Amino acid sequence: MALSREQIAQRVAQELQDGYYVNLGIGIPTLVANYVPAGIEVMLQSENGLLGMGLFPTEDEVDADLINAGKQTVTMAAGASLFDSAESFAMIRGGHVDLTVLGAFEVDVEGNIASYMIPGKLIKGMGGAMDLVAGADNIIVTMTHASKHGVSKLLNQCTLPLTGKGCIKKVLTDLAFIEIKNGKFHLLERAPGVSVDEIVKLTEGELVVNGDVPEMTF
Amino acid sequence: MAGFNKVVNSYQEALAGLEDNMTLIVGGFGLCGNPENLIKEIKRIGTTGLTVVSNNCGTTEHGLGILLFDKQIKKMVASYVGENDNFEQQMMSGELDVELTPQGTLAEKMRAGGAGIPAFYTATGYGTPVAEGKEVREFNGKKYILEESVTGDFALVKAYKADTFGNLVFRKTARNFNPLAATAGKITVVEVEHIVEPGELDPDEIHLSGIYVDRLIKGNFEKVIEQRTITEAKNPKQGA
């Protein structure tokens, strides 16, 4: 079975380490915050100028001056700090954020990522995504492995305008956990009940499969 | 003698000298920390041909988005322009020129512009459409592109509190691009919720020095929320 959005978030959360500063993109990445493993402390960075993002507010706590990068009302966790946008991206570009999780339309075997624009269809802008992929070393891309029509999104070469070049090393899809190195995809884990063959069939770029590929555990 | 007193009493006075075809640097992230009354005043006076540099262009009904109804904006430099029907229409029809700029690069362009630095190298955007026509240079084995800074004829800024000298305090994430925009305007106009006398702000709590501020006005703010996300309050009977 392909992973649900929640399961993708849950598997990403297993990559969190105690003391990590983490930036979570909009969509599935945001859900990762719900699955922080017990006994681990992480601090969430929101690129509009908040480190130490808390839960959504109660009705009484709602504050128009306190939002996240998705423009949702939020609260601050204990130990939070506030800063301007230049400072926020100094943290990101300067490599001070330990883990970045973001979505994508396509990735390819060279570690290129396309996530912000579909010419003629979707032109909303890159927001902070280009800075995040250029500045972070440890990035996990979450995405669906293929379109509804079975067209692979893990390609030899991205077809859409790039968000970043050669910057992606890890991809978690609804079918597989994949590493990108030496111009190839490498299958690390598969979703429970999903066969290696199925993954190979839906991966356009070259996929290296070494021995028995373990199933993800939750 | 006004001395360092920056306070003006009308929006007309606040935007005196604003002309067609000028460049505006505008603070705010989405509708958070928008100089909403200054934007409304620009709609009222009907200035056109504007180049606006701001992270977003408001929504269809609020913020900078309201300047699109009468096609007052000629060019928009922004990182994210969703949530706005008029924007998409005018961009598709070619009436509105759009320069999509990565968010961190946009912030740094304002910061550098205000600090007298004409350009800087960043890895952001290398190998993407953003890099087209820009110089590429390698430092320590990594590729960077040259981005030019920005300044504006006017900067429009929203702060929480100021003293009459224009020393500013921002509030929570309404800070965002505001202090950066404030440094990058030839004329910087700030609207605030509270104005106090010099000496009433602790100098240590001031986020931006009044040296960057030319005009200051006290406003009333609507503070529209784009995504009102709520956690249900815990029922105390259920315990922890």
Side-chain angles (χ1 to χ4, degrees):
Chain A
M1 274 280 284
L3 300 182
S4 65
R5 289 161 57 86
E6 285 72 20
Q7 285 174 311
I8 293 176
Q10 232 175 319
R11 178 62 193 86
V12 171
Q14 293 174 11
E15 301 296 302
L16 297 171
Q17 290 182 25
D18 196 27
Y20 259 18
Y21 294 104
V22 181
N23 183 294
L24 301 176
I26 294 165
I28 293 174
T30 304
L31 301 175
V32 173
N34 300 335
Y35 299 102
V36 178
I40 277 185
E41 275 189 286
V42 300
M43 206 177 264
L44 301 178
Q45 204 251 19
S46 186
E47 62 264 26
N48 56 319
L50 168 61
L51 183 61
M53 183 166 43
L55 305 169
F56 291 144
T58 60
E59 198 66 59
D60 294 342
E61 291 171 331
V62 168
D63 183 342
D65 288 340
L66 188 55
I67 62 168
N68 64 16
K71 292 157 192 141
Q72 298 170 312
T73 48
V74 292
T75 59
M76 293 185 280
S81 55
L82 295 155
F83 34 84
D84 67 49
S85 299
E87 180 80 31
S88 180
F89 282 92
M91 294 176 190
I92 289 166
R93 256 191 261 95
H96 304 281
V97 175
D98 298 301
L99 174 66
T100 291
V101 185
L102 80 174
F105 301 139
E106 297 173 345
V107 294
D108 70 25
V109 294
E110 299 299 336
N112 298 325
I113 173 171
S115 68
Y116 84 102
M117 187 196 218
I118 302 174
K121 265 193 194 163
L122 178 81
I123 310 174
K124 292 192 171 184
M126 67 292 280
M130 282 194 182
D131 304 281
L132 282 160
V133 297
D137 197 40
N138 192 12
I139 304 169
I140 298 176
V141 170
T142 59
M143 61 193 293
T144 50
H145 206 98
S147 76
K148 282 177 197 142
H149 311 293
V151 179
S152 180
K153 298 179 180 180
L154 277 68
L155 307 173
N156 280 313
Q157 193 176 13
C158 288
T159 62
L160 296 168
L162 295 185
T163 307
K165 194 172 166 67
C167 47
I168 304 303
K169 292 176 201 147
K170 282 181 182 166
V171 184
L172 182 69
T173 74
D174 51 344
L175 304 182
F177 195 23
I178 282 172
E179 190 180 6
I180 305 175
K181 60 178 181 192
N182 306 324
K184 288 170 191 169
F185 294 123
H186 297 257
L187 185 57
L188 302 179
E189 294 174 24
R190 56 200 169 86
V194 174
S195 70
V196 169
D197 282 352
E198 227 172 309
I199 296 165
V200 170
K201 206 179 295 171
L202 289 171
T203 307
E204 184 203 273
E206 187 180 346
L207 180 66
V208 177
V209 181
N210 260 332
D212 279 345
V213 178
E215 283 189 356
M216 295 173 199
T217 52
F218 294 96
Chain B
M1 280 262 296
F4 294 103
N5 189 341
K6 312 283 173 71
V7 180
V8 296
N9 294 307
S10 70
Y11 287 100
Q12 217 172 343
E13 211 182 327
L15 290 174
L18 178 68
E19 292 171 11
D20 291 350
N21 305 312
M22 280 187 162
T23 296
L24 310 180
I25 316 272
V26 184
F29 182 93
L31 297 177
C32 183
N34 256 240
E36 48 182 272
N37 298 296
L38 292 167
I39 294 168
K40 284 176 190 160
E41 176 65 7
I42 294 174
K43 180 169 172 61
R44 196 190 65 78
I45 51 185
T47 320
T48 60
L50 296 170
T51 295
V52 176
V53 183
S54 186
N55 190 51
N56 316 90
C57 193
T59 60
T60 311
E61 302 288 337
H62 298 285
L64 287 165
I66 66 172
L67 300 182
L68 295 171
F69 283 106
D70 300 319
K71 302 182 177 167
Q72 290 176 267
I73 303 177
K74 178 183 68 184
K75 181 178 177 181
M76 188 75 211
V77 180
S79 85
Y80 186 82
V81 292
E83 276 80 69
N84 192 322
D85 304 337
N86 292 324
F87 193 97
E88 206 164 328
Q89 263 169 33
Q90 290 178 30
M91 178 167 65
M92 292 293 190
S93 70
E95 289 170 287
L96 179 65
D97 188 12
V98 181
E99 192 176 313
L100 288 177
T101 304
Q103 198 174 130
T105 297
L106 188 64
E108 195 63 15
K109 277 171 176 266
M110 292 183 194
R111 197 195 68 79
I117 295 171
F120 55 91
Y121 288 100
T122 177
T124 303
Y126 168 71
T128 77
V130 167
E132 276 167 28
K134 290 172 186 165
E135 183 191 324
V136 175
R137 196 164 151 186
E138 195 174 309
F139 296 91
N140 302 317
K142 192 170 170 179
K143 299 264 186 23
Y144 297 79
I145 60 173
L146 186 66
E147 291 279 8
E148 291 185 18
S149 63
V150 292
T151 55
D153 298 298
F154 275 78
L156 310 184
V157 169
K158 157 72 172 54
Y160 175 59
K161 201 161 55 167
D163 63 22
T164 58
F165 287 3
N167 291 308
L168 304 183
V169 175
F170 299 92
R171 186 170 178 274
K172 299 184 178 170
T173 56
R175 190 181 325 182
N176 56 62
F177 285 82
N178 278 302
L180 311 165
T183 66
K186 286 193 195 87
I187 298 175
T188 291
V189 187
V190 183
E191 55 175 332
V192 296
E193 295 173 50
H194 306 282
I195 299 180
V196 300
E197 290 302 315
E200 286 188 49
L201 296 177
D202 175 355
D204 264 337
E205 74 173 315
I206 293 168
H207 293 129
L208 189 86
S209 169
I211 195 169
Y212 299 105
V213 175
D214 298 290
R215 302 172 190 168
L216 185 66
I217 187 163
K218 183 173 178 299
N220 294 309
F221 296 86
E222 219 179 325
K223 293 199 186 179
V224 174
I225 292 173
E226 280 182 73
Q227 307 265 355
R228 195 183 180 88
T229 41
I230 304 286
T231 308
E232 290 303 321
K234 281 192 195 100
N235 182 344
K237 282 179 192 161
Q238 289 176 331

